[in-house]
């Protein structure tokens, strides 16, 4: 008898995502998000919810001492996790990893062992063979979980060195921003979107970089520029502490002083992690309080501002058409932020070509911009090729703060 295993749920391990291929032809550079910053994420938590076992929480609980003031947790897919922190009581850098010199271990192995259950299903009869079918499921409530041993290594550092490292950490986390999304394909006549499920890649490396309770993260396959420098520095610093090589640690601290200024920025100060952002925006310009002339002027200027922000558009030779008030009620959406806005009202501003240009351009219009009636904030923009951005997960004011780098080329 042979055994045939079927896994019907996704393992809770460190994975990274890449944009999958689509059925639409558009410039490849528009599909690649720019990751010159860390991504804000949920705050550090070391307390498990009763009856639950959260993998990320368990990593922080086991690898990050209570006296740690800043540091990072590194989780390579399918391999042993580790953490490097600054212990503010011992005035030392501390490197932690599950297992011992004689025993390889990982938190993920214990985690999956406690949550995974193999359930035998009806066997498959194939000719003269009987194939045993096993369905793997993962439970919310762990059974017989046993945490691994943790080994720790430390190197004392001066207060001046700790201050230098703290400045690097503080800048990197404080300037964390939501990355730009790949351009999204809109449906023809509605603000419903076509979402694409990206393929899963099993060789990702996740970094949770924290200072105090604030935390940001990055996935190593997606890094460029200064963030790539930061992750390389973290790897080398962690390795030096693991080897308890104080001379190497001291030299790396000096290196950190040179690129810490790259993360100093006053142009963007996130209000909080994207998952915790209020779904409803506090009203600023309730358009119903404006007369028709004031409202139309506002809508026209805001729409042209949005189009200019995301494209190479010039304001010459355009005409603007403003629709009556509409209600958001798309047919289907995978986005929880979009579902939370069902029933909200908005105006649509269509920016068209002049008649003399329209005959030479294949796009039916330059762009359409939807603007919420309740607060005057943009809901989304779609260009004449049906590609654009929505502002459900990333409010428009945040795009303005970090300036989009992926601009749409508009025919003129």
């Amino acid at each position: 008898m042979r055994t045939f295993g079927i896994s019907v749920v996704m393992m809770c391990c460190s994975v990274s995502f890449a944009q999958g291929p689509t059925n639409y032809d558009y410039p490849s550079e528009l599909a690649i998000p720019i990751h010159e910053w860390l991504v804000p994420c949920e705050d550090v938590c070391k307390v498990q919810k009763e009856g639950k076992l959260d993998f990320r929480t368990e990593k922080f609980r086991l690898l990050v001492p209570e006296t740690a003031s800043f540091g990072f947790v590194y989780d390579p897919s399918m391999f042993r996790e580790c953490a490097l922190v600054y212990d503010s009581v011992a005035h030392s850098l501390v490197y932690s990893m599950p297992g011992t010199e004689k025993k390889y271990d990982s938190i993920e192995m214990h985690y999956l062992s406690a949550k995974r259950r193999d359930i035998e299903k009806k066997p498959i009869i194939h000719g003269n063979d009987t194939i045993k079918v096993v369905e793997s499921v993962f439970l919310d409530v762990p059974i017989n979980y046993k945490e691994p041993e943790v080994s720790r290594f430390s190197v004392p550092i001066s207060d001046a060195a700790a201050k230098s490292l703290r400045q690097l950490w503080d800048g990197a986390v404080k300037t964390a921003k939501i990355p730009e999304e790949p351009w999204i394909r809109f449906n023809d006549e509605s603000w419903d979107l076509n979402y694409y499920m990206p393929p899963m890649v099993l060789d990702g490396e996740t970094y949770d970089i924290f200072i105090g309770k604030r935390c940001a993260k990055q996935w190593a396959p997606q890094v460029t520029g200064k963030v790539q420098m930061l992750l390389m520095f973290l790897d080398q610093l962690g390795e030096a502490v693991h080897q308890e090589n104080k001379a190497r640690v001291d030299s790396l601290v000096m290196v950190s002083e040179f690129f810490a200024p790259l993360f100093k920025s006053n142009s963007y100060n996130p209000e909080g992690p994207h998952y915790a952002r209020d779904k409803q925006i506090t009203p600023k310009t309730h358009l119903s309080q404006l007369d028709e002339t004031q409202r139309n002027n506002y809508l026209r200027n805001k729409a042209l501002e949005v189009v200019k922000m995301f494209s190479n558009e010039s304001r010459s030779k355009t005409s603007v058409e403003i629709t009556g008030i509409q209600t958001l009620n798309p047919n289907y959406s995978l986005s929880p932020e979009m579902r939370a806005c069902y029933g909200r009202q908005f105006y649509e501003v269509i920016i068209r070509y002049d008649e003399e240009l329209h005959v030479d351009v294949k796009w039916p219009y330059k762009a359409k911009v939807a603007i919420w009636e309740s607060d005057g904030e943009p809901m989304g923009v779609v260009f004449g090729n049906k590609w654009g951005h929505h502002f459900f997960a990333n409010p428009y004011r945040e795009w303005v703060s970090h300036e989009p780098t992926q601009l749409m080329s508009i025919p003129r």
Side-chain angles (χ1 to χ4, degrees), residues 106-166:
S106 78
I107 301 171
E108 183 178 25
M109 290 167 55
H110 288 256
Y111 171 82
L112 294 177
S113 176
K115 299 191 69 173
R116 176 175 175 169
R117 291 296 175 268
D118 293 334
I119 302 174
E120 290 193 15
K121 308 295 286 188
K122 184 178 179 181
I124 298 175
I125 307 300
H126 183 71
N128 295 326
D129 292 334
T130 299
I131 304 175
K132 184 179 180 181
V133 178
V134 178
E135 179 182 50
S136 298
V137 298
F138 293 85
L139 312 174
D140 288 335
V141 180
I143 299 176
N144 299 325
Y145 171 68
K146 182 180 179 182
E147 64 185 51
E149 298 180 70
V150 175
S151 298
R152 302 191 191 278
F153 310 84
S154 65
V155 171
I157 61 174
S158 67
D159 291 343
K163 182 179 179 180
S164 296
L165 293 176
R166 181 185 295 275

Side-chain angles (χ1 to χ4, degrees), residues 7-20:
S7 178
V8 296
V9 296
M10 190 185 302
M11 294 173 56
C12 185
C13 56
S14 299
V15 298
S16 63
F17 298 95
Q19 180 70 13

Side-chain angles (χ1 to χ4, degrees), residues 37 142 193 232 253 266 297:
W37 49 77
L193 313 176
M232 291 174 61
V253 170
N266 296 321
N297 284 339

Side-chain angles (χ1 to χ4, degrees), residues 68-282:
S69 59
F70 62 87
F72 76 95
V73 175
Y74 172 63
D75 182 11
S77 178
M78 305 297 193
F79 293 97
R80 178 157 51 182
E81 311 82 5
C82 66
L84 176 69
V85 306
Y86 174 68
D87 189 322
S88 58
V89 174
H91 299 277
S92 299
L93 290 174
V94 179
Y95 181 92
S96 305
M97 58 186 293
T100 64
E101 291 184 359
K102 297 182 179 180
K103 180 182 179 182
Y104 177 90
D105 219 337
S106 78
I107 301 171
E108 183 178 25
M109 290 167 55
H110 288 256
Y111 171 82
L112 294 177
S113 176
K115 299 191 69 173
R116 176 175 175 169
R117 291 296 175 268
D118 293 334
I119 302 174
E120 290 193 15
K121 308 295 286 188
K122 184 178 179 181
I124 298 175
I125 307 300
H126 183 71
N128 295 326
D129 292 334
T130 299
I131 304 175
K132 184 179 180 181
V133 178
V134 178
E135 179 182 50
S136 298
V137 298
F138 293 85
L139 312 174
D140 288 335
V141 180
I143 299 176
N144 299 325
Y145 171 68
K146 182 180 179 182
E147 64 185 51
E149 298 180 70
V150 175
S151 298
R152 302 191 191 278
F153 310 84
S154 65
V155 171
I157 61 174
S158 67
D159 291 343
K163 182 179 179 180
S164 296
L165 293 176
R166 181 185 295 275
Q167 289 176 343
L168 173 61
W169 254 261
D170 185 62
V173 174
K174 184 179 293 183
T175 56
K177 293 181 281 194
I178 307 293
E180 292 185 39
E181 298 175 356
W183 289 79
I184 296 175
R185 177 77 179 185
F186 282 66
N187 288 335
D188 287 343
E189 299 299 331
S190 77
W191 287 93
D192 196 8
L193 313 176
N194 288 332
Y195 285 88
Y196 301 98
M197 289 299 291
M200 185 173 68
V201 182
L202 292 179
D203 60 352
E205 299 176 348
T206 304
Y207 292 78
D208 282 286
I209 301 169
F210 70 92
I211 180 166
K213 289 291 184 180
R214 293 179 297 132
C215 192
K217 71 165 47 184
Q218 188 55 267
W219 298 271
Q222 299 182 356
V223 298
T224 58
K226 62 188 179 185
V227 173
Q228 185 176 32
M229 292 173 58
L230 175 65
L231 300 188
M232 291 174 61
F233 171 79
L234 297 180
D235 288 340
Q236 293 186 34
L237 186 61
E239 181 181 355
V241 177
H242 183 201
Q243 297 172 352
E244 297 186 327
N245 186 338
K246 180 168 174 45
R248 177 65 174 158
V249 169
D250 291 341
S251 64
L252 286 169
V253 170
M254 294 179 62
V255 171
S256 71
E257 298 176 2
F258 289 96
F259 69 90
L262 294 176
F263 292 96
K264 289 184 178 180
S265 173
N266 296 321
S267 62
Y268 182 83
N269 186 15
E271 298 175 3
H274 62 281
Y275 69 92
R277 187 177 295 118
D278 292 338
K279 296 294 190 300
Q280 300 295 327
I281 304 170
T282 303

Side-chain angles (χ1 to χ4, degrees), residues 283-331:
K284 298 176 182 177
T285 309
H286 202 301
L287 299 187
S288 65
Q289 298 174 359
L290 305 178
D291 62 38
E292 183 177 0
T293 300
Q294 291 174 325
R295 183 174 64 248
N296 288 345
N297 284 339
Y298 174 85
L299 290 170
R300 180 183 185 278
N301 291 333
K302 178 60 72 172
L304 290 172
E305 172 195 310
V306 172
V307 173
K308 186 177 181 181
M309 179 67 64
F310 289 92
S311 71
N312 61 1
E313 159 67 358
S314 64
R315 296 198 179 189
S316 61
K317 296 186 178 182
T318 57
S319 61
V320 173
E321 174 186 327
I322 300 174
T323 68
I325 197 166
Q326 302 182 48
T327 301
L328 181 67
N329 188 25
N331 296 324

